Amino acid sequence: MDMDLSLLQTRVIGCLIEKEKTTPDQYPLTLNSLTTACNQKSNRDPVMELSDTDVQEVLDELNSKHLIREEGSFGSRVPKYKHRFCNTEFSELQLSEQEMAIVCTLFLRGPQTPGELRSRTNRLCSFRDVHETEAVLQKMSEREEFPLVVRMPREPGKRESRYAHLFSGEVEAADPSEYSAPAASTRISTQRFESLENRIAELEKIVALLQEKLAE
């Protein structure tokens, strides 16, 4: 599978997936609603200023790739659009809820860290913690038939590497050994944090006992 999608094409597909999940009563979308969604100033990177004509041209391109479908609603002449990108009878790409949320968010906001993806997908799915997000990303990157994402080289001064989708061609991948040290450091930090939490809980119990004795 090699969709080779442009930035505008991923923006349109991402908006259709997002609105299907977050505003199902308004889905499929009219051209005007889809243009508004593409130009949102929140949850989008980069922010765009597309016209209806721009979006219609992208829809025509996606239609030729069989990635969207035009539908007419009963009693209305205004066409509406829905995606056929994944999880439909017409798509060979079948994703879990978490995988689809990650792809959608990468389409809308570009490369992101596991921590960013965990917080930014909360309207589309749920992750218990960032470790579960990392596990899903790793699974997506190791798909034999078609890896969906790739971990990018870590930027100087950053603790986490960002992940990018692979629906728009190749992206430079990170050295697998690059992330081992920060991962170990994260585990140590987590252990220290849990130890501090336990210590605080013990101190709170002691304070509560002292308050009871003083009250007596």
Side-chain angles (χ1 to χ4, degrees):
M1 185 190 307
D2 183 11
M3 297 186 181
D4 195 22
L5 302 175
S6 69
L7 176 62
L8 295 185
Q9 289 171 349
T10 56
R11 174 61 59 91
V12 167
I13 292 173
C15 288
L16 289 172
I17 294 174
E18 179 191 59
K19 299 307 180 184
E20 179 186 24
K21 293 288 289 185
T22 59
T23 56
D25 293 343
Q26 300 173 27
Y27 185 83
L29 301 182
T30 64
L31 175 60
N32 182 259
S33 296
L34 182 54
T35 301
T36 300
C38 288
N39 292 336
Q40 274 184 214
K41 297 211 178 345
S42 61
N43 303 319
R44 305 287 186 266
D45 188 12
V47 173
M48 298 180 177
E49 294 185 6
L50 304 177
S51 66
D52 285 350
T53 302
D54 296 329
V55 176
Q56 185 62 65
E57 289 178 358
V58 178
L59 287 168
D60 292 341
E61 295 167 0
L62 292 173
N63 188 48
S64 69
K65 293 175 177 280
H66 308 291
L67 294 177
I68 61 104
R69 177 179 177 181
E70 180 181 328
E71 290 190 353
S73 57
F74 181 75
S76 173
R77 296 182 180 180
V78 179
K80 294 188 175 182
Y81 301 91
K82 63 192 307 183
H83 76 86
R84 295 170 55 176
F85 172 74
C86 65
N87 295 12
T88 73
E89 59 183 307
F90 307 103
S91 172
E92 60 182 285
L93 184 61
Q94 301 296 316
L95 304 177
S96 70
E97 183 179 50
Q98 291 175 328
E99 290 172 338
M100 185 165 69
I102 286 174
V103 169
C104 174
T105 307
L106 291 174
F107 277 7
L108 295 176
R109 303 186 72 152
Q112 295 159 76
T113 67
E116 290 171 335
L117 286 167
R118 184 203 173 197
S119 63
R120 292 169 178 174
T121 56
N122 60 1
R123 293 195 306 155
L124 305 174
C125 73
S126 63
F127 289 100
R128 290 190 302 272
D129 51 39
V130 72
H131 300 298
E132 183 179 17
T133 311
E134 291 172 339
V136 174
L137 285 165
Q138 182 173 355
K139 178 182 175 183
M140 294 172 70
S141 69
E142 294 176 348
R143 284 169 56 112
E144 290 185 5
E145 66 276 21
F146 178 67
L148 305 179
V149 301
V150 62
R151 182 165 57 83
M152 303 171 65
R154 192 168 67 251
E155 296 177 300
K158 301 291 186 179
R159 293 180 58 188
E160 290 186 282
S161 291
R162 297 184 302 163
Y163 282 79
H165 70 80
L166 289 173
F167 292 93
S168 299
E170 292 296 321
V171 178
E172 183 183 0
D175 182 344
S177 64
E178 173 196 353
Y179 206 53
S180 57
S185 175
T186 300
R187 287 194 296 271
I188 293 170
S189 297
T190 302
Q191 290 170 357
R192 288 176 178 170
F193 181 74
E194 290 174 351
S195 176
L196 285 171
E197 279 190 327
N198 294 333
R199 182 59 179 158
I200 290 170
E202 291 175 4
L203 290 172
E204 287 177 343
K205 290 179 181 178
I206 293 171
V207 170
L209 289 172
L210 289 172
Q211 287 176 335
E212 288 180 7
K213 288 183 179 180
L214 287 172
E216 293 174 357

